[in-house]
Amino acid sequence: MKTFLLSLAGVLPFLSIVSSQGLPDPAALAQMGIEWETSQHASPNSNFYTVPQNFSRDLAPGTLLAVEQATNLSSYLVPSSLTLSRIMYTTTNLNGTIQPASAYVLWPYAPAPWFASSSNSSSSPSFPLVAWAHGTSGLFATCAPSNYKALMYHYFVPFALAKQGIAVVAPDYAGLGVSRTPDGTHIPHEYSASPAQANDLANAVIAARAAFPSYLPSTGPFAVVGHSQGGGVAWGYAQRQLEHPLPGYRGTVAFAPGVQVVEMITKAWNGGVGPIQTDTLLGVQRLISAGITAVYPSFNFTGVTPVGYERWNILAKVQGCMPTSGLAFAGLENHDTVTPDFTNDSTTLEFAQRTKVGGKPFKGPLLVLAAENDVSLQPEVLESIVDETCEVLEAGNSTESLEYALYEGVNHFPLISASQAEWMDWLKERLSGEAGSKKKRDCDAPKARCTKRRVKGFRTDVSVQFPLPNFLVTEAEAVWQYGL
Ligand SMILES: *[C@@H]1O[C@H](CO)[C@@H](O)[C@H](O)[C@H]1NC(C)=O
Ligand SMILES: *[C@@H]1O[C@H](CO)[C@@H](O)[C@H](O)[C@H]1NC(C)=O
Ligand SMILES: *[C@@H]1O[C@H](CO)[C@@H](O)[C@H](O)[C@H]1NC(C)=O
Ligand SMILES: *[C@@H]1O[C@H](CO)[C@@H](O)[C@H](O)[C@H]1NC(C)=O
Ligand SMILES: *[C@@H]1O[C@H](CO)[C@@H](O)[C@H](O)[C@H]1NC(C)=O
Ligand SMILES: *[C@@H]1O[C@H](CO)[C@@H](O)[C@H](O)[C@H]1NC(C)=O
Ligand SMILES: *[C@@H]1O[C@H](CO)[C@@H](O)[C@H](O)[C@H]1NC(C)=O
């Protein structure tokens, strides 16, 4: 980082990295980026993601294609005593086409005591389960958290849950990890098509239960949790649960969810959001343009400028994920890479309508956690979507609950750590079956329960609000260095 100046504005999802000595060569930077990314992969040449010949588009969604019972953790950075499995399974994309996809299952040392005591101790253990939806990792095969040494969200979510005795099933999302069918057909990642990624999540739960029926019984309790892109996926799952219910569902937690992002981008072009979020959202427009192109090939990156498209191809050539994307776009402002005609293109609008999350009925309870100082999502915009959703609940005489909590003084990723005491208890209560029976309010007529509150932090003025996920980037190079 010595020769580069890291601009923290617009840091999500793309870092703006500008050389202090003139324009850098983006291709050389992208090459540097992908080499470092590859060094962070658990198995750089893993053939786990190669789809077996018995894959077929006629298989039912949630069908198992491959199971790696015990992933070799010697090349991962996963807390000792936890174990990992990986699965490959079928899912459906936004258009309903069957695709192969991958997921990991992170196993605790043992089930949480509050859960184990209720199960039959003379048989094999069974686990409470969280289905975890990760945030933006990138758009290429290389961007699969199941092949990242620390699974991308490490102590934020998967390690924290497994260390509490809760198993975690985490889809990579179709197009990430597994990227070709056996006949060589490319599987593009339908970025921001949250209902498609909600299918990936639901089918990962079905497939994991099929792979490990005694550890994850088919009617065992599970909750859904997601952040950012994955927050939109998690909320989208809560909507999906109404029409395609999976047994055992106990509720959803959405951190800083990326919902109605096309609408947010339109607001940004019209001056309706703050300058930092505007910069971030214009960077996100490139990703969504790629996501729309994945669903509608003829869209072909509408709304991306020629220079933006040239840089996108530099990124695509090396299959770079989030770290490398900042390098491929070095020296450009986000607004030079995109155009506003994206926002009222008829295909963009159709995509936004087909993938709409929020402002719709869902199966709760739903806990939405927002960050006051979020560089990518303005909390006021999110709150208005929460309000819209509550109006829909009331109009439909729904009895679902939606809790919205705004955490003061925190950024997009630190929100997860700041709120852990709250969401961990929330999940344990629901997974242990106490919620509902104990907590249901006595009312004359059942009605939707929408609540909003602010959470005050202690000493937020001096806390570090690191805006990116990987605060554990320093790894010991020699065995003796692991001693601190
Ligand atoms: C495909 O083959 C694998 C490995 O032989 C097997 O585990 C899996 O059940 C098969 N899946 C289908 C759908 O036939
Ligand atoms: C796990 O991987 C390490 C390093 O590649 C290797 O030395 C070890 O033999 C592997 N363990 C198993 C059980 O395959
Ligand atoms: C516990 O599991 C064992 C072995 O599967 C079974 O024989 C026994 O009946 C079970 N006990 C109860 C109380 O469910
Ligand atoms: C998905 O469906 C849309 C709408 O019907 C269609 O325009 C598009 O071409 C389809 N995508 C693919 C890859 O077939
Ligand atoms: C997409 O647009 C680019 C740039 O305008 C063009 O070079 C390319 O051929 C187009 N691709 C397709 C598949 O239409
Ligand atoms: C599309 O949006 C842009 C930017 O907001 C605006 O300038 C333009 O007039 C719009 N075009 C149409 C056809 O609505
Ligand atoms: C909601 O309840 C009110 C009052 O009981 C009733 O008039 C209305 O039709 C209901 N709406 C729906 C969508 O069920």
Side-chain angles (χ1 to χ4, degrees):
M1 280 296 141
K2 276 193 204 111
T3 53
F4 300 116
L5 204 139
L6 197 77
S7 149
L8 290 187
V11 84
L12 281 169
F14 289 103
L15 282 170
S16 307
I17 296 177
V18 181
S19 162
S20 48
Q21 296 116 14
L23 265 184
D25 170 10
L29 287 175
Q31 186 56 36
M32 176 188 87
I34 194 61
E35 281 170 20
W36 182 79
E37 280 188 28
T38 305
S39 76
Q40 301 305 303
H41 292 166
S43 28
N45 303 308
S46 175
N47 58 14
F48 174 76
Y49 302 97
T50 304
V51 179
Q53 293 293 335
N54 61 3
F55 168 76
S56 142
R57 298 229 191 262
D58 299 327
L59 292 169
T63 302
L64 269 176
L65 298 170
V67 180
E68 182 179 72
Q69 293 279 343
T71 305
N72 185 343
L73 284 179
S74 66
S75 53
Y76 281 80
L77 296 169
V78 165
S80 301
S81 303
L82 307 185
T83 59
L84 192 75
S85 302
R86 290 188 294 186
I87 58 173
M88 194 190 295
Y89 61 99
T90 55
T91 186
T92 46
N93 68 12
L94 191 66
N95 279 5
T97 306
I98 293 285
Q99 299 283 22
S102 52
Y104 70 77
V105 186
L106 183 63
W107 299 102
Y109 171 73
W114 47 261
F115 191 78
S117 61
S118 68
S119 68
N120 185 342
S121 57
S122 61
S123 56
S124 68
S126 71
F127 293 84
L129 177 65
V130 162
W132 159 242
H134 68 81
T136 303
S137 60
L139 271 86
F140 305 106
T142 42
C143 314
S146 68
N147 195 29
Y148 284 6
K149 286 183 177 180
L151 307 176
M152 187 172 173
Y153 275 79
H154 49 77
Y155 286 97
F156 282 132
V157 177
F159 297 174
L161 288 166
K163 282 156 66 74
Q164 293 293 320
I166 300 167
V168 180
V169 169
D172 286 323
Y173 306 146
L176 310 182
V178 174
S179 68
R180 287 191 188 281
T181 60
D183 67 7
T185 309
H186 179 239
I187 303 160
H189 174 48
E190 298 179 340
Y191 182 79
S192 187
S194 305
Q197 284 93 55
N199 292 341
D200 301 342
L201 182 125
N203 290 315
V205 170
I206 294 170
R209 284 171 162 178
F212 307 102
S214 64
Y215 307 147
L216 302 175
S218 59
T219 58
F222 80 100
V224 175
V225 181
H227 175 247
S228 197
Q229 175 193 15
V233 175
W235 192 332
Y237 179 84
Q239 292 177 183
R240 184 189 195 276
Q241 175 73 12
L242 278 181
E243 283 182 16
H244 307 284
L246 288 189
Y249 174 71
R250 296 288 174 85
T252 293
V253 178
F255 300 107
V259 287
Q260 303 182 19
V261 185
V262 168
E263 291 82 343
M264 288 188 191
I265 291 169
T266 305
K267 277 199 176 75
W269 280 111
N270 295 329
V273 301
I276 292 172
Q277 292 91 349
T278 294
D279 184 52
T280 306
L281 286 166
L282 297 190
V284 170
Q285 184 181 317
R286 296 193 297 264
L287 295 177
I288 298 189
S289 188
I292 299 176
T293 302
V295 179
Y296 301 87
S298 61
F299 188 72
N300 194 14
F301 293 88
T302 297
V304 175
T305 61
V307 66
Y309 187 68
E310 184 193 317
R311 296 296 186 91
W312 179 265
N313 284 325
I314 288 173
L315 182 65
K317 191 174 172 206
V318 300
Q319 301 270 290
C321 304
M322 292 307 295
T324 301
S325 60
L327 298 166
F329 286 90
L332 289 179
E333 298 289 342
N334 282 336
H335 70 73
D336 294 330
T337 66
V338 286
T339 60
D341 55 347
F342 168 86
T343 61
N344 46 20
D345 180 275
S346 63
T347 303
T348 302
L349 297 174
E350 183 178 317
F351 176 86
Q353 186 260 322
R354 285 180 72 191
T355 60
K356 183 176 172 182
V357 172
K360 288 186 170 183
F362 62 84
K363 187 75 191 125
L366 172 61
L367 174 62
V368 176
L369 301 169
E372 185 185 40
N373 298 340
D374 198 317
V375 295
S376 45
L377 295 168
Q378 193 146 321
E380 291 82 355
V381 179
L382 184 56
E383 197 175 327
S384 69
I385 296 168
V386 166
D387 290 341
E388 181 198 355
T389 310
C390 289
E391 282 162 23
V392 168
L393 292 183
E394 275 158 31
N397 295 335
S398 167
T399 57
E400 295 300 344
S401 93
L402 197 172
E403 264 178 279
Y404 172 81
L406 177 68
Y407 275 71
E408 293 183 359
V410 296
N411 208 331
H412 196 61
F413 282 93
L415 165 68
I416 307 172
S417 300
S419 60
Q420 181 172 324
E422 172 174 1
W423 58 261
M424 191 63 83
D425 277 4
W426 193 97
L427 289 170
K428 286 180 185 175
E429 266 186 30
R430 278 149 191 89
L431 292 171
S432 64
E434 287 166 30
S437 53
K438 231 167 58 176
K439 289 226 155 173
K440 218 158 223 148
R441 283 210 218 125
D442 298 319
C443 313
D444 299 283
K447 62 195 224 2
R449 287 161 290 156
C450 281
T451 58
K452 292 200 286 188
R453 64 197 149 83
R454 294 177 75 91
V455 179
K456 262 205 176 337
F458 169 62
R459 307 220 298 184
T460 50
D461 54 330
V462 292
S463 74
V464 173
Q465 291 297 314
F466 198 68
L468 292 173
N470 191 359
F471 63 90
L472 296 169
V473 82
T474 307
E475 198 187 326
E477 284 160 6
V479 172
W480 60 268
Q481 292 173 336
Y482 283 104
L484 55 76

